[in-house]
Each structure stands twice: as C-alpha cells, then as structure tokens.
Amino acid sequence: MADQGRVILFLVISVIALWGIVISLAAVHIVEFLKKRVRIKAVVLDSQGRVRDEYELGKQREMLIGKSTPANLVNIDFSDSAYAGSIEEEHASLIRCGTYWYVCAKAENGMVGLRQKGNDTVYKLRRDIPYRIQCGDIIYISYEKIIIQ
C-alpha cells in the first residue's frame, strides 16, 4: 500500500513538472510571436531630414507610392515634393506578403533605390521585381527618402 502511494505521488509530481515545461515552451513561442508583430512604419523625411509623414504598414496588402491625381489616389503622396517632376504617378509600391514587406519599383525612369540597414550602398531597383525590406532600410523615391522603422 505504501509503494502504491509513492507511485501515485511520483506520477502527480511528474505530471506537474511536465506541465511546467509545456507552459514555459508556450510562453517562449508567444514572446517570439509578439516580437514579429511589431508595428512597422514608413517614415517620409523632408529635405532637411525632418519627419514629414508617417504611414503604418499594418493590415494593408499594398501601399502605392507616387503622385495623386483625381483618377488615381496613392497612399504615400509626393505631389507637393520639390522633386515631383521626377516622380511618376505610380512610382513604386510597398507590398505585404505574409509577415514580410517588399518594395517594388514601377517607375519607367528607374529612380527607385534601396539602402539596406548597415550598408552604405544604394541599389537601383529593377522595375516590377519585389525586394524585401526590413526595419532600418531606406527607400529612395527620386531624391526623397522613406525610412522603414
């Protein structure tokens, strides 16, 4: 009878320990999931480097960058930019695919660039090819800057 009590006590302690491990692992996964859900913003700077506009890259699937017209509204509008003459109506777009964001050049003039975080080189983007972007990257629309934060 005493042996049976010890076995039951051992089983109860083992189950409690197992649940503790399961809960710890679940907590780690929840923390990692929440880290990935950090809100990403596209921050447009003016010519003096000050924040001109901020756009949250939330639930949208695509954000069009260019110049708004009555027939074609864009999300990130450079109509009033000093460089508006070199920015097309549909110059580029930010596209979400799953949890990642991409920039895609649409401009015929080729004036879309990308400088990735930690890199000094600005890459000229090829038209209609999506390039993955991350926090810290800078997108150049003509001579305008959009920082991904």
Side-chain angles (χ1 to χ4, degrees):
M1 205 61 173
D3 287 338
Q4 189 177 14
R6 287 184 191 160
V7 170
I8 291 172
L9 181 62
F10 173 76
L11 289 175
V12 168
I13 292 172
S14 297
V15 168
I16 291 171
L18 183 61
W19 274 107
I21 292 170
V22 169
I23 290 170
S24 297
L25 290 174
V28 168
H29 287 290
I30 289 170
V31 167
E32 290 300 316
F33 174 77
L34 292 175
K35 282 182 185 177
K36 289 181 182 177
R37 291 198 50 163
V38 172
R39 302 211 185 256
I40 298 175
K41 293 187 292 187
V43 178
V44 179
L45 301 180
D46 65 14
S47 58
Q48 284 79 37
R50 295 180 303 230
V51 174
R52 187 180 98 180
D53 285 313
E54 289 186 15
Y55 302 89
E56 190 171 313
L57 305 181
K59 297 177 183 177
Q60 300 93 334
R61 298 212 26 90
E62 182 175 10
M63 293 187 75
L64 192 58
I65 303 168
K67 296 187 297 189
S68 285
T69 64
N72 186 37
L73 296 176
V74 297
N75 302 98
I76 301 176
D77 190 4
F78 287 105
S79 297
D80 61 347
S81 165
Y83 306 105
S86 63
I87 297 175
E88 297 180 19
E89 288 179 16
E90 291 189 9
H91 202 88
S93 63
L94 299 174
I95 304 163
R96 182 175 56 87
C97 185
T99 59
Y100 299 111
W101 280 89
Y102 297 84
V103 61
C104 188
K106 295 178 175 252
E108 301 258 350
N109 65 14
M111 294 187 73
V112 180
L114 176 64
R115 187 173 88 197
Q116 296 172 321
K117 180 181 178 179
N119 193 340
D120 291 333
T121 305
V122 177
Y123 297 97
K124 181 179 176 182
L125 303 187
R126 294 182 57 193
R127 190 170 181 228
D128 295 326
I129 297 176
Y131 295 84
R132 185 169 167 213
I133 56 174
Q134 302 178 62
C135 289
D137 291 352
I138 300 174
I139 299 168
Y140 293 87
I141 303 297
S142 182
Y143 298 100
E144 297 285 356
K145 290 182 186 177
I146 301 173
I147 299 176
I148 305 301
Q149 294 183 338

